[in-house]
Amino acid sequence: MSQPIVAGCDVGSIWAKAVIFDGKEILASAVIPSSPFPAKTAEKVLEKAANKAGVSMGDIEYVVGTGYGRVNVPNAKKTVSEIACHAKGAAWSCSDVATLIDVGGQDCKVISLASDGHGRVMDFSMNDKCAAGTGRFLEVMAGVFELPIEEFGERALKAERILGISSQCTVFAESEVVCLIAQGHEIEQIIAGICDAVAARVSVLVPRVGLREKVYMSGGVAKNIGVRQALQRRLRVTIWELTEDPLIIGALGAAVLAMDALRQQQ
Amino acid sequence: MSDYKGFQFKTYDFSKQLDTHIDLIDLLHNTIGADLKKRPENVRWLFEPVQQYLDELAALRENPDKLVYRHFTFAPEIVYAMDCISYVPEALTFMMPTEYLCALVDEGREMDVPDHFCGFLGGVTAPLLTGRLPKPKAILHCNQPCDNSVAWGSVLAESFPDTEMFILDNPYGDDEEGVRFAAEQLREGFNYLERMTGKRLDLDRFREVMAKSAEAYRLMYEINEYKKAIPCPIPTSSILRPISVAFYALTGTEGLVGWLEKHLADTKERYEKGTGGWREEKMRVVWNLSWPIFDYGVYDWMEETFGAIAVAYHSAEPFYQPPDIDYGKASYEELLRALALRNNNHAMGRQGRGHFMTFVNDTLKWCREFSADGAIFAGHWQCQANWAAAQITKEKLMEELGIPMLIMTVDQLDPRVVSAEQMVSRLEPFLEMLAEKKGIKP
Ligand code: SF4
């Protein structure tokens, strides 16, 4: 009997992600930019992932939706919060995750996982309504330098010192950064300061759930080496890399939950 | 209505031009009356305290000499003992239609009411400063539970410059010295009310009021015993508004005793039949601090999606233990002591006046007694005082009871700050976590 196929779809504020999964392996994944129409975006990203996996949408037996646009994922039989999905996805990738720091487009979360390796959430904390400490903050700052966001982290590593960014708010930080540029400060040092500002916002969430090792990161910002290193410095721990692309961890967790639900249903 | 996973939350039209100069009591009478009519007849009695309070306020038109402004954490018994009517201007906001409240908050902001002033107080600041609320004979104010409400005293002073105000300095400690300290001030409070209203305190009336207050608390404790049963016969979330009005505004009245008797009989009957609230109970939480006054649908969503019942609300449960005295013959001193105890243990005020461990311990107590699976700290963003206790409460709950607590920022009145959907986006992962822990399928 062939393996059933399921999918997880994570419609975030910046990216939409989909994972096609057969319970053992990730058959394919896809990432596309989010649009103002979450249902359309979800449909597109699922189709893209299905095409890559060489399956049709009709072959997918169960879809779980997550992310901000989760309620709009067409065909989703279930929706689950990003917290539960990130925990599941991270534990599927590396079973020793004790603390997961997920920094997404518009929020950041710190999740404490049970030690049984099943991705059970023990506790979590998340930022409130503020873009500081999120991917959006980095995006706005990258816009100031007219730099691709992918280059941001590497540039931060080249800095000899970190310039302090005191404004917590994205809007104020943007004007502070413009001032620093006008004052002639080295771009790398300013970028290092920006990465450190994100790390500062995220690290305050960690004591709220208690830091337990091993610590991993998920979400788009996990790819930013500048933020990752700043967080390591602030938290004084090693932040390990997941075996899967950190951007698709939420969608992966949704797919894992989809398979669980399908098995229960059968 | 807006849709969240097929669940409907309220939507608002803030573009409407509202006449914020209308009589607020009329407005509340009309809107609450209409709201009550929509409810099934067999549950209307549950909302009697709200109606009672509004009727009392309406009666002020005939008896303007009885009008005493009272801060919401000042025990109402003192006003009833003086045969006056207590008017809590800030409480109007919590019964108002959301669009009106927001329009009034905005009007206040235009008059330079600072941003940190919460909507609870800020929503009536403009009507007060522009002379749209009735002039009181006396004003009872106090220094709890937060900096905002202390500052609110200056709004009252500015609104009624020729009305002397009485400010109760609530004691820090919970010991006998704290009770004596409060009792001495309440004695002065009575002298003040006599001077301002021209009435004399009638000792028999004071006895009667304190006896009714004690009876209300006795009934409430009894109801609470039944509420601890699983399933909870009547979740606090389904009676938050009436129970808050009852304990913040009506203690010491016959009406409240009558309502609590009905409430007890109903709870008992539901308990005996093993009937829970409106929906099946799968897990239970204790709700702390602010609640979504603008949309109680948040509780419906919790119940419907997760079977999560808010069994107890930290600030609407009884704290005052009435002294065991013969109220019919009690001396003035004994009654003053009882009133001091009552005032020191007023919900919110009790947690706002002393060490923040009172807040922590009260949460632990309710979670323990109600066998909660989790707690929710819904901190109003402008209530700075209680935020100090958030993290320590969370840690203590985990340490002592092994239960988690969600900390989330809300604005209890203004959905423009935190909407019902945003609240739900915080509640959802928390309830998922509790469900997984309990092995429940939502
Ligand atoms: S406790 Fe909070 S809501 Fe109540 S008056 Fe103070 S600031 Fe306002």
Side-chain angles (χ1 to χ4, degrees):
Chain A
M1 203 177 85
S2 65
Q3 288 282 351
I5 294 170
V6 298
C9 184
D10 175 3
V11 184
S13 58
I14 300 181
W15 301 105
K17 294 81 72 178
V19 164
I20 311 293
F21 184 60
D22 69 0
K24 285 203 182 106
E25 263 185 89
I26 298 174
L27 303 180
S29 66
V31 178
I32 63 168
S34 285
S35 76
F37 311 103
K40 273 230 152 53
T41 308
E43 206 177 312
K44 265 196 196 160
V45 76
L46 275 166
E47 259 170 28
K48 190 171 176 190
N51 283 341
K52 274 169 91 177
V55 299
S56 75
M57 289 301 287
D59 295 331
I60 300 171
E61 293 186 42
Y62 205 107
V63 179
V64 166
T66 189
Y68 283 94
R70 60 182 171 274
V71 292
N72 303 100
V73 176
N75 309 327
K77 291 201 178 151
K78 196 173 168 182
T79 60
V80 180
S81 73
E82 300 107 279
I83 302 235
C85 288
H86 274 266
K88 282 279 182 250
W92 189 88
S93 166
C94 297
S95 59
D96 57 358
V97 183
T99 305
L100 181 68
I101 300 172
D102 164 39
V103 187
Q106 69 179 31
D107 63 16
C108 50
K109 312 158 190 104
V110 177
I111 309 167
S112 174
L113 277 75
S115 50
D116 56 13
H118 291 129
R120 260 191 317 119
V121 179
M122 302 291 290
D123 200 359
F124 66 89
S125 62
M126 61 200 294
N127 69 324
D128 270 312
K129 302 167 44 120
C130 177
T134 69
R136 185 70 75 197
F137 181 84
L138 288 169
E139 218 180 41
V140 170
M141 296 307 153
V144 175
F145 293 102
E146 294 178 0
L147 269 180
I149 185 91
E150 297 75 26
E151 275 183 31
F152 227 60
E154 295 293 343
R155 296 286 290 259
L157 294 190
K158 293 193 183 127
E160 276 167 18
R161 74 186 188 102
I162 302 166
L163 273 183
I165 309 285
S166 53
S167 307
Q168 301 242 320
C169 160
T170 309
V171 179
F172 291 134
E174 187 178 354
S175 45
E176 194 178 338
V177 164
V178 171
C179 280
L180 290 171
I181 297 170
Q183 284 163 12
H185 289 283
E186 212 179 88
I187 287 184
E188 278 71 18
Q189 293 183 3
I190 305 173
I191 293 178
I194 292 167
C195 292
D196 190 57
V198 172
R201 293 288 295 191
V202 177
S203 58
V204 295
L205 299 175
V206 176
R208 296 191 197 162
V209 298
L211 182 73
R212 285 166 46 244
E213 295 198 69
K214 289 165 88 173
V215 182
Y216 287 82
M217 244 181 121
S218 64
V221 177
K223 293 184 178 184
N224 183 314
I225 184 74
V227 175
R228 177 188 285 271
Q229 291 216 348
L231 263 170
Q232 294 196 123
R233 230 180 2 254
R234 284 187 170 265
L235 298 172
R236 297 203 182 98
V237 287
T238 302
I239 298 180
W240 299 84
E241 281 187 40
L242 293 162
T243 56
E244 306 303 329
D245 177 353
L247 191 56
I248 63 156
I249 293 300
L252 171 61
V256 172
L257 287 164
M259 187 56 81
D260 288 352
L262 182 68
R263 286 189 179 134
Q264 271 169 16
Q265 193 178 285
Q266 287 168 347
Chain B
M1 293 276 174
S2 76
D3 192 289
Y4 188 92
K5 281 193 184 181
F7 199 90
Q8 308 286 303
F9 292 109
K10 283 187 194 165
T11 48
Y12 311 91
D13 180 4
F14 293 115
S15 63
K16 265 191 285 182
Q17 281 297 317
L18 298 172
D19 177 11
T20 52
H21 286 241
I22 58 169
D23 185 309
L24 292 178
I25 307 294
D26 277 349
L27 170 74
L28 296 183
H29 253 290
N30 295 340
T31 50
I32 288 184
D35 181 52
L36 271 182
K37 271 194 202 124
K38 277 191 245 150
R39 295 180 189 267
E41 223 164 294
N42 61 335
V43 297
R44 277 188 209 156
W45 67 269
L46 269 173
F47 299 88
E48 275 171 15
V50 180
Q51 197 60 55
Q52 183 188 334
Y53 184 57
L54 288 177
D55 289 346
E56 281 185 21
L57 295 185
L60 279 169
R61 289 198 186 109
E62 314 294 305
N63 307 286
D65 285 352
K66 289 191 170 189
L67 172 56
V68 173
Y69 272 23
R70 178 181 62 84
H71 181 273
F72 69 102
T73 62
F74 205 125
E77 286 87 333
I78 188 168
V79 183
Y80 290 121
M82 288 299 296
D83 191 21
C84 288
I85 295 176
S86 83
Y87 187 109
V88 184
E90 58 273 33
L92 303 180
T93 57
F94 127 114
M95 293 187 268
M96 237 177 238
T98 301
E99 282 98 339
Y100 269 93
L101 180 270
C102 292
L104 286 169
V105 166
D106 292 349
E107 193 188 341
R109 297 264 185 275
E110 276 160 28
M111 294 173 72
D112 290 335
V113 172
D115 276 358
H116 61 76
F117 227 54
C118 65
F120 184 51
L121 305 167
V124 274
T125 301
L128 269 169
L129 290 173
T130 52
R132 276 138 57 193
L133 294 191
K135 188 174 185 292
K137 295 299 273 185
I139 302 173
L140 297 173
H141 194 56
C142 63
N143 64 346
Q144 63 191 21
C146 61
D147 292 350
N148 274 338
S149 77
V150 173
W152 168 244
S154 48
V155 171
L156 294 170
E158 212 175 297
S159 305
F160 306 107
D162 50 0
T163 306
E164 187 189 323
M165 195 189 307
F166 179 82
I167 303 177
L168 184 76
D169 179 12
N170 284 287
Y172 184 86
D174 248 343
D175 52 7
E176 198 48 41
E177 180 57 23
V179 180
R180 197 197 53 75
F181 182 73
E184 278 318 306
Q185 290 180 75
L186 290 165
R187 186 195 310 279
E188 281 176 40
F190 275 117
N191 295 341
Y192 160 83
L193 286 174
E194 285 188 339
R195 197 170 68 245
M196 300 298 285
T197 62
K199 288 169 175 271
R200 297 284 302 160
L201 170 67
D202 174 345
L203 189 59
D204 281 334
R205 192 179 165 87
F206 190 14
R207 287 181 178 130
E208 213 178 289
V209 166
M210 291 314 291
K212 282 178 190 144
S213 164
E215 180 59 4
Y217 275 90
R218 187 194 65 71
L219 288 161
M220 192 56 203
Y221 281 112
E222 206 178 330
I223 292 166
N224 260 11
E225 284 310 306
Y226 289 107
K227 274 173 56 186
K228 290 173 191 167
I230 300 175
C232 177
I234 176 104
T236 296
S237 54
S238 42
I239 47 165
L240 264 174
R241 187 175 274 164
I243 204 87
S244 307
V245 171
F247 282 88
Y248 281 87
L250 300 175
T251 44
T253 66
E254 184 62 41
L256 177 59
V257 172
W259 179 72
L260 285 168
E261 278 165 351
K262 274 190 246 175
H263 188 3
L264 174 62
D266 179 70
T267 311
K268 220 167 168 173
E269 195 186 318
R270 300 172 75 81
Y271 165 79
E272 276 155 11
K273 287 188 191 150
T275 321
W278 322 126
R279 298 180 186 89
E280 188 195 352
E281 175 178 334
K282 294 182 184 163
M283 58 171 107
R284 39 176 53 201
V285 295
V286 164
W287 192 282
N288 262 327
L289 281 178
S290 308
W291 76 89
I293 289 167
F294 55 84
D295 196 347
Y296 289 80
V298 170
Y299 293 114
D300 294 329
W301 172 85
M302 280 172 55
E303 294 181 3
E304 211 154 291
T305 317
F306 289 94
I309 312 287
V311 274
Y313 171 59
H314 172 279
S315 304
E317 306 303 335
F319 297 100
Y320 163 52
Q321 295 282 356
D324 190 14
I325 53 175
D326 179 352
Y327 287 93
K329 295 188 191 129
S331 67
Y332 184 47
E333 299 306 316
E334 284 176 310
L335 294 170
L336 272 182
R337 185 174 178 282
L339 183 59
L341 271 169
R342 159 73 179 99
N343 203 74
N344 287 358
N345 291 290
H346 199 299
M348 288 293 290
R350 168 186 157 85
Q351 292 95 8
R353 77 184 151 80
H355 197 283
F356 72 84
M357 280 311 285
T358 309
F359 181 93
V360 178
N361 291 330
D362 284 349
T363 309
L364 278 165
K365 172 184 154 72
W366 296 123
C367 287
R368 189 180 289 118
E369 292 189 2
F370 281 89
S371 319
D373 297 305
I376 291 160
F377 178 101
H380 185 91
W381 64 289
Q382 290 144 320
C383 308
Q384 284 140 18
N386 291 309
W387 273 100
Q391 183 63 21
I392 181 98
T393 309
K394 179 180 164 96
E395 286 167 17
K396 283 273 172 205
L397 279 172
M398 187 46 85
E399 206 176 288
E400 295 192 19
L401 306 180
I403 64 169
M405 183 173 95
L406 170 71
I407 301 177
M408 63 174 181
T409 306
V410 303
D411 185 307
Q412 57 192 1
L413 295 162
D414 190 343
R416 298 173 302 179
V417 182
V418 180
S419 67
E421 289 85 347
Q422 283 165 329
M423 285 181 78
V424 160
S425 74
R426 297 295 192 262
L427 289 165
E428 188 176 31
F430 183 72
L431 298 175
E432 276 173 357
M433 181 175 89
L434 293 188
E436 187 168 34
K437 199 171 159 202
K438 288 200 87 176
I440 295 166
K441 275 197 224 109

